[in-house]
Amino acid sequence: MKRLISTTLLSIFVFAACITFEQNLNTEFKNPTNNYRPTAFWHINGEMTTKGVREQVIDAYQKDGFGGVAVLPLGPYRKNPGTLPEYLSKDYFDRYEDILKCSKEQNTQVILYDDIDFPSGSVNGKFRELYPEMTSKRLSMREFDVSDGKTLKQNISLKGKNLGTVAMNTKTFEVFDISDHVKDSTVNWTSPEGSWKVMSFVMEYNIGSEVDYLDPNAVDKFIAMTYDQYATKISSYFGNTIQYSFFDDVGFYTQPRTWTEAMTDLYEKRTGQKALLALPALWYDIGENTTPIRIAFFDIRAELMRDGYVRRVAEWNAQHNMKSMGHPPGNYEPTGVGAHGDILKYYKYTQVPLMDAIHGYGYGRPGYKLVTSAADLYDRPLVAAEIYGNYDPNMDSTQMYQSAMEVFTRGVNFLVLHGMWYDTSSIKIPPLISHYSKLLGPALHGYSDWAARSMTLLREGRRISEIAVLWPINTLEAWFGFDERKVWVFDDVPPETDYRKISDMLTGEIRRDFTFIHPEYLATNLYTIENGKLILNNTNTRQEYGIIILPSLRVESVATLQKIKAFCEQGGKVIATGILPSKSVEFGKDKEVIALVKSIFNIDPANLPTTISKEENRNKGVAVFLPKADKVSLETILSDLEVAPDVQIKDVSGLYEWYDGTHSGININGAISEANNRLNTMGMLSYIHKEMNGKQIYFFANSTKKPVDTWVTLRGKLKIEKWNPYNGEIKNWENVTYIKNETGQEFTRFPLRLDEVKSIFAIGDILMK
């Protein structure tokens, strides 16, 4: 009897909790709190006064519908004086406290931008003045050719720390340390027979105004100059009015050869090889060791990036009851090796991963999913986007909705709008997003209400993703080099690279959600294999993948391929496209990689088939090789794998066009213009599915300028409601039917009708059998 009573009471409590949750969700959706409203970057390009800041803070909330502001101090530009009073002065903090007091009165938030201007890390040039030896550094090389017993006598003077001089045989790639032949910056060396290249390496100091992001000790000096000043003056607002800080463009940016003191020692500890003899591989292909050398160096640099500025800032925030958000340069580009390292490693310690969705509608869109996948990897349910910066100054509100829809369906649930300007007569980076804008102002509060309702439903819960796409970081690192003749390092990828195309194709054309997974983490116990599923074992962002897609890969680790083989042998489905791995991340293990590829796909990577190849094992595991990742082939293969989609949208053609977003040798403004021209009328029909406290939340977004009239099929038997983010209306979905497939699996089917550039939520409760 006691057990019966306890069970009954527990059921009552659970039922009551579900009712309370649903009531709260309904209330929040109809009237979203300020926590869910967009926050605006507020560029302070003028002299702040108490009256001026109060007026704009109140207007941002009452007239624009924003939930707060991110205060972004600026240096002088053109004829504009930038932020006044002077950054970090007593008067500056007095005005900053005016902002905070007014925000507290409005119950809105302030995001603490961590520097003046961008990128973060310079303190308006003062860091360089105080700590010149702690600013950014780079690796440089001078080279000379000599051959057939001739003597080279040449001054090799380079400012900085001398790392040594080597001679490399250009035929055999033998490398010798000849540093003892250098005296007073002059090399004096007689070559053996053959053709030789003499290379001297130096780490140059003080090449920029920013802190050495890779050096935690240097970063601590920066933190003392900026973050700690805010803590001294306004810490009573931390954790309430100020819940987040923001860093901007922290990476290598214009210095793809960024280096630091620890690089060579860490390389030698990791590989057991002398770093000096490996440095030529960063400029030249020196044979079979080029791949593991580059991967080792670039992976070390990526981890120093992660463990330097990004980690130290996150730890400071945690100590002050706040959360860090921010982004590197190039988070949307084809490769980040020369921009920030490894985007999936970059965010390990950041409490709120953030993407930089700027430069025009559609620009960089194929790379957006990397940031949200990083959030999944590190169990971070909150994902932000800095959005609209450097868009067309004449953009209308339609593009605001289009871009927001497309980041929402990729997992973003926190918007930082770029933005407001204190002096609206002197805007450095368009567009102006405030009620002062004649184009955007009339629609802005309605947009903010729509975004707030959308983010209310997308902010919590776990995303349902059943396809994993392997992040080809090792292939990108192996390809990347320090050849200064390259036009744009962010585009420096192997010609067959297709992971971005697969990303956008899955989201906007095939309409199957997915997650990028890091090959290094895949090989760990974070991912387990159960009943033909690959499980991401996180608390908040747990996911179960039935399919792994390997985009074009030339390089992979033995451990990662072993995990993929085990997944396939236990019933998992594997699809590879374009190129199969033939090189190993590790030294001397190429043969093991080739053997593993053969055992999975029954294909020699040196002799790839020109037609689709499919291998099936006794446990119903399947390995498919697809010579080219096009929509028809990939969609057909996904269908043939007999994995019922979580969400299936009946084919709607003519609503999608893939734009690479690469620069292809043209200037960036030309690329942006091309992106806008191609995507402005295209958009996509896409979705995201999240599960929150047992409630199924589906967001469908039509960012095209064409109406949609189609059918949606959801796996499972669900009671469906239609939640309208434009007005908060909730009602039952009409014409819902239930069907079963040949195995008896149940599905929910309903019509989806969306006008151009419109979205809707389908909220489902699982019906008990």
Side-chain angles (χ1 to χ4, degrees), residues 207-504:
I207 60 166
S209 298
E210 292 78 41
V211 62
D212 181 350
Y213 298 130
L214 311 183
D215 181 356
N217 294 324
V219 174
D220 286 343
K221 298 290 187 185
F222 169 79
I223 288 174
M225 293 179 68
T226 54
Y227 284 89
D228 285 348
Q229 299 306 306
Y230 285 93
T232 300
K233 306 295 194 306
I234 56 173
S235 61
S236 63
Y237 294 93
F238 288 178
N240 42 77
T241 305
I242 303 178
Q243 299 179 35
Y244 308 96
S245 73
F246 191 109
F247 63 83
D248 202 12
D249 276 331
V250 170
F252 316 138
Y253 206 38
T254 58
Q255 296 295 341
R257 289 186 281 116
T258 292
W259 211 252
T260 197
E261 297 277 358
M263 288 287 292
T264 51
D265 287 345
L266 289 172
Y267 177 86
E268 291 178 355
K269 289 178 181 178
R270 179 176 293 199
T271 66
Q273 300 181 13
K274 191 171 181 179
L276 175 62
L277 301 182
L279 291 178
L282 298 180
W283 272 266
Y284 294 100
D285 184 340
I286 65 169
E288 63 179 9
N289 285 337
T290 304
T291 289
I293 287 173
R294 289 187 178 183
I295 290 173
F297 271 126
F298 291 137
D299 188 51
I300 289 167
R301 188 170 68 163
E303 291 180 354
L304 288 173
M305 179 79 258
R306 173 197 69 192
D307 295 339
Y309 193 102
V310 183
R311 179 176 183 174
R312 297 298 290 142
V313 163
E315 290 174 341
W316 186 94
N317 275 267
Q319 292 165 6
H320 291 83
N321 197 29
M322 292 162 56
K323 295 178 180 179
S324 172
M325 65 170 65
H327 66 83
N331 59 246
Y332 37 67
E333 300 286 359
T335 180
V337 176
H340 53 260
D342 178 341
I343 194 67
L344 289 188
K345 285 193 173 182
Y346 187 93
Y347 290 106
K348 181 176 181 179
Y349 300 103
T350 303
Q351 289 92 350
V352 184
L354 178 142
M355 73 170 65
D356 191 21
I358 62 172
H359 293 323
Y361 168 54
Y363 182 79
R365 187 177 68 184
Y368 289 170
K369 204 62 179 290
L370 287 166
V371 178
T372 56
S373 295
D376 291 324
L377 174 61
Y378 300 118
D379 209 17
R380 307 279 194 261
L382 194 59
V383 193
E386 174 189 349
I387 193 167
Y388 308 127
N390 203 29
Y391 269 43
D392 185 339
N394 297 314
M395 68 176 274
D396 59 16
S397 60
T398 298
Q399 280 197 2
M400 291 189 69
Y401 282 99
Q402 286 178 303
S403 291
M405 287 177 188
E406 291 178 14
V407 298
F408 285 164
T409 57
R410 285 163 171 79
V412 166
N413 48 33
F414 189 125
L415 293 181
V416 182
L417 314 183
H418 196 300
M420 291 170 50
W421 292 79
Y422 191 80
D423 178 1
T424 59
S425 68
S426 178
I427 296 173
K428 183 179 180 182
I429 304 173
L432 170 64
I433 300 181
S434 81
H435 58 280
Y436 293 111
S437 168
K438 293 180 180 179
L439 286 171
L440 300 176
L444 201 51
H445 206 298
Y447 162 86
S448 295
D449 291 343
W450 166 85
R453 291 191 183 101
S454 298
M455 290 188 284
T456 296
L457 297 180
L458 297 173
R459 185 66 59 90
E460 304 296 335
R462 71 182 186 101
R463 183 170 59 89
I464 306 300
S465 169
E466 299 176 335
I467 298 175
V469 177
L470 195 66
W471 167 224
I473 182 61
N474 296 316
T475 297
L476 300 179
E477 289 175 336
W479 177 268
F480 191 81
F482 287 165
D483 185 344
E484 298 177 26
R485 295 168 295 179
K486 291 169 181 172
V487 176
W488 189 260
V489 297
F490 297 169
D491 287 351
D492 187 21
V493 297
E496 69 276 0
T497 301
D498 61 4
Y499 79 94
R500 285 160 46 89
K501 188 168 186 175
I502 290 171
S503 170
D504 229 24

Side-chain angles (χ1 to χ4, degrees), residues 50 75 81 85 115 126-127 129 144 151 172 174 214 221 226 229 270 317 329 407 410 446 534 570 738:
T50 300
D115 204 348
K126 291 183 179 179
F127 187 86
E129 294 175 11
F144 310 94
T151 298
T172 66
E174 294 176 279
L214 311 183
K221 298 290 187 185
T226 54
Q229 299 306 306
R270 179 176 293 199
N317 275 267
V407 298
R410 285 163 171 79
L534 182 71
Q570 295 181 43
Y738 303 104

Side-chain angles (χ1 to χ4, degrees), residues 163-229:
L163 301 182
T165 300
V166 301
M168 183 180 74
N169 187 299
T170 61
K171 302 295 183 184
T172 66
F173 303 118
E174 294 176 279
V175 182
F176 300 99
D177 183 354
I178 61 168
S179 300
D180 56 355
H181 289 267
V182 179
K183 186 176 182 181
D184 297 328
S185 297
T186 298
V187 61
N188 190 338
W189 182 70
T190 301
S191 74
E193 291 298 313
S195 175
W196 295 82
K197 189 174 287 292
V198 173
M199 291 174 275
S200 288
F201 301 95
V202 67
M203 182 173 63
E204 293 184 83
Y205 289 85
N206 201 15
I207 60 166
S209 298
E210 292 78 41
V211 62
D212 181 350
Y213 298 130
L214 311 183
D215 181 356
N217 294 324
V219 174
D220 286 343
K221 298 290 187 185
F222 169 79
I223 288 174
M225 293 179 68
T226 54
Y227 284 89
D228 285 348
Q229 299 306 306

Side-chain angles (χ1 to χ4, degrees), residues 539-556:
T539 302
N540 300 301
T541 61
R542 176 186 170 89
Q543 292 178 349
E544 300 181 5
Y545 315 110
I547 299 169
I548 298 178
I549 296 178
L550 276 61
S552 290
L553 296 171
R554 291 188 180 274
V555 186
E556 199 43 79

Side-chain angles (χ1 to χ4, degrees), residues 505-513 647 649 652 655 685 687:
M505 191 187 304
L506 284 171
T507 302
E509 195 171 15
I510 298 174
R511 302 182 185 95
R512 295 283 294 271
D513 204 357
V647 177
I649 301 175
V652 182
L655 292 180
L685 173 64
Y687 80 94

